[in-house]
Amino acid sequence: MTRKNAFPLLFMLALSLTPVLTIEFPRMMAFWPQLIGLIGAAWFVFAEKKKLNFSKPYLYGALSISGLCLTSVLWSIAPSEALNHSLKISAILISGSIFFALCQSIERERLRPYYQMFPVAVIIACTLCYIELTWDMPLYRIIRGLEPGDYANPSEINRGVVCITFTLFIALAFIKNMNETRAIKALYTFGLTLSALLMFVLTDSQSSQLACIMGLFIFALFPYRYAPSYRILALLITAIIAATPFIVYYLYAALISTGQDIPWLSQGYAGNRVEIWNFVTNYALNNPIYGYGVEATRYVTDFQHAHIYHNKSTTLHPHNFSIQIWIEFGVVGVLFLGTLLFSLAKKIQIQPDQSRKYILSSSIAILSVAAMGYGAWQSWWLGEIVYIGALCTLISSQYRHSEKNISEK
């Protein structure tokens, strides 16, 4: 292996190992993309004497999100804690710009010989999840030193399953662009599909199952060549965010008494979720204009509710990004997020034709999980978004180089 080939090989290896590692160590995503970016950028700039091409849209987005969080300290119910959270969020997002720049800068012809590494790694990750869920978490037990009689909770790898789910469409993009015959590409696609199905059948992560369904729906049916469709989608999502208080009211009425009686919904703790959504939304509407500051939910100690499923008067986060926007930033946050969504939609629209479906499907999968599961500002979750966003940038960049080469011939 020559020095010239070492960098793209190790870079693809780092990208590909990520979904495998997240099975047992999902919290590493709080720093892993930034670590790849820092080490890779140092090699790229100082050893290879090449220039990084920073993404201005990403930088503007990261700085504006950081600015909103920092500004919310002024009206936060816990100012010092809000400041600490804002600084952490800013550090993760802004440092992620280096990883983005690296993914946008590396040349396609150098990476293409190693494209197969990523789908192979995702197949391995799905298979390892299947093994964990089928044989009582053997790797989890070994890593954590559990005794034979100790209980290993399968939900402990739910974060890993979610991280793997987001990589499925990226893996398909790499397969599509590999320098292989159709038969070989079909074999990779079959392996990816089969291993993912086995994982989804056994996992109790309903959010990852729904994310895959939503991503596939967009992948198959979205009118990618119709330019206004991107703005329409952004408008629809923004309208749903704006109407969240009304939607939560009807969901609470419909599911609070029956949510735990419906099998698939009960496995996702539908009753618990709608109860949390309802009392957090009610609290948010006490100050609907600008909310209570970043991460406000964790500092409210007296949420008023019926205690039907959720026995406490506190919760760390609302388990829904839209409700979290409402309680933290109110209408100001809704307008801000709507603007961000329109900017993202416009950015996706101008990407190379072949890359749009992979980028948009991954984005919708992330939004789907954000609407059902994790806190918007959890460090590992922010890192995961940075990782997937940078991979989407890499895919787009690689396709752009491909289209440019075709046009020059």
Side-chain angles (χ1 to χ4, degrees):
M1 180 177 64
T2 64
R3 180 178 176 179
K4 182 180 179 180
N5 294 332
F7 176 74
L9 171 62
L10 293 175
F11 180 65
M12 279 302 301
L13 180 62
L15 296 183
S16 303
L17 279 176
T18 304
V20 178
L21 293 174
T22 55
I23 300 171
E24 305 293 348
F25 311 105
R27 296 185 187 279
M28 75 174 200
M29 294 306 294
F31 64 85
W32 182 250
Q34 290 81 356
L35 184 62
I36 297 174
L38 286 172
I39 296 174
W43 188 338
F44 193 73
V45 172
F46 296 109
E48 301 209 337
K49 309 299 181 183
K50 296 183 181 295
K51 184 179 179 180
L52 286 176
N53 180 21
F54 280 88
S55 171
K56 290 183 180 179
Y58 176 82
L59 278 171
Y60 294 152
L63 290 171
S64 62
I65 292 171
S66 300
L68 178 65
C69 292
L70 287 166
T71 303
S72 76
V73 174
L74 299 175
W75 62 77
S76 173
I77 58 175
S80 61
E81 290 82 359
L83 178 60
N84 289 332
H85 288 300
S86 298
L87 292 174
K88 177 196 71 176
I89 292 164
S90 301
I92 293 173
L93 293 179
I94 294 173
S95 62
S97 64
I98 301 174
F99 184 46
F100 256 79
L102 188 59
C103 287
Q104 190 166 270
S105 302
I106 188 168
E107 304 91 334
R108 173 179 179 270
E109 59 273 11
R110 299 183 65 192
L111 279 186
R112 194 172 186 184
Y114 310 106
Y115 278 177
Q116 71 274 12
M117 294 174 66
F118 195 86
V120 167
V122 176
I123 292 170
I124 291 172
C126 292
T127 304
L128 286 174
C129 284
Y130 173 76
I131 291 171
E132 289 283 78
L133 295 168
T134 302
W135 285 285
D136 194 24
M137 309 279 282
L139 288 175
Y140 180 88
R141 289 178 173 279
I142 292 171
I143 292 170
R144 283 148 182 90
L146 297 183
E147 298 297 329
D150 294 339
Y151 175 65
N153 190 347
S155 66
E156 290 293 331
I157 65 169
N158 281 359
R159 285 187 179 90
V161 173
V162 165
C163 293
I164 294 167
T165 301
F166 296 157
T167 64
L168 292 175
F169 299 103
I170 305 298
L172 285 174
F174 276 116
I175 292 172
K176 177 71 174 179
N177 215 14
M178 287 193 308
N179 190 21
E180 298 287 353
T181 64
R182 288 187 177 181
I184 296 297
K185 292 180 181 180
L187 186 61
Y188 275 98
T189 304
F190 174 77
L192 183 67
T193 303
L194 178 61
S195 60
L197 283 174
L198 290 173
M199 178 183 71
F200 286 130
V201 166
L202 292 181
T203 183
D204 61 356
S205 173
Q206 280 74 32
S207 58
S208 64
Q209 294 168 340
L210 182 61
C212 185
I213 292 170
M214 293 297 295
L216 287 173
F217 178 81
I218 292 294
F219 189 86
L221 299 178
F222 189 82
Y224 294 96
R225 295 183 182 276
Y226 181 59
S229 62
Y230 298 88
R231 294 190 294 274
I232 293 171
L233 179 61
L235 179 62
L236 176 61
I237 296 172
T238 303
I240 292 172
I241 295 169
T244 291
F246 304 100
I247 295 171
V248 168
Y249 173 81
Y250 287 108
L251 284 176
Y252 182 79
L255 296 176
I256 193 60
S257 59
T258 62
Q260 292 305 110
D261 299 326
I262 302 171
W264 190 79
L265 291 178
S266 65
Q267 293 173 10
Y269 301 99
N272 300 69
R273 290 182 191 277
V274 295
E275 187 168 19
I276 292 171
W277 293 351
N278 185 65
F279 69 66
V280 174
T281 300
N282 288 339
Y283 194 96
L285 292 179
N286 291 325
N287 189 18
I289 303 302
Y290 51 83
Y292 295 94
V294 65
E295 291 281 31
T297 309
R298 64 173 64 225
Y299 300 108
V300 177
T301 59
D302 58 344
F303 283 117
Q304 302 298 310
H305 64 106
H307 297 272
I308 299 172
Y309 300 107
H310 189 77
N311 296 323
K312 300 178 180 179
S313 297
T314 60
T315 185
L316 287 178
H317 56 81
H319 298 272
N320 179 286
F321 78 96
S322 184
I323 297 171
Q324 191 162 353
I325 290 295
W326 270 99
I327 192 171
E328 293 178 0
F329 310 114
V331 173
V332 172
V334 173
L335 294 174
F336 174 86
L337 186 55
T339 302
L340 205 62
L341 287 171
F342 271 92
S343 299
L344 179 61
K346 183 178 179 181
K347 185 66 177 176
I348 294 174
Q349 179 192 334
I350 63 174
Q351 300 309 304
D353 290 346
Q354 294 185 68
S355 65
R356 291 176 193 167
K357 61 170 59 180
Y358 305 107
I359 297 172
L360 190 59
S361 298
S362 300
S363 301
I364 293 299
I366 289 174
L367 276 179
S368 173
V369 173
M372 298 295 293
Y374 306 104
W377 310 120
Q378 289 179 288
S379 297
W380 76 271
W381 176 252
L382 289 174
E384 177 67 18
I385 293 175
V386 169
Y387 171 70
I388 297 298
L391 286 179
C392 288
T393 297
L394 176 64
I395 292 298
S396 178
S397 176
Q398 300 295 294
Y399 274 113
R400 184 175 290 108
H401 286 312
S402 178
E403 291 184 358
K404 181 179 178 182
N405 291 339
I406 292 173
S407 65
E408 290 175 350
K409 288 183 180 180

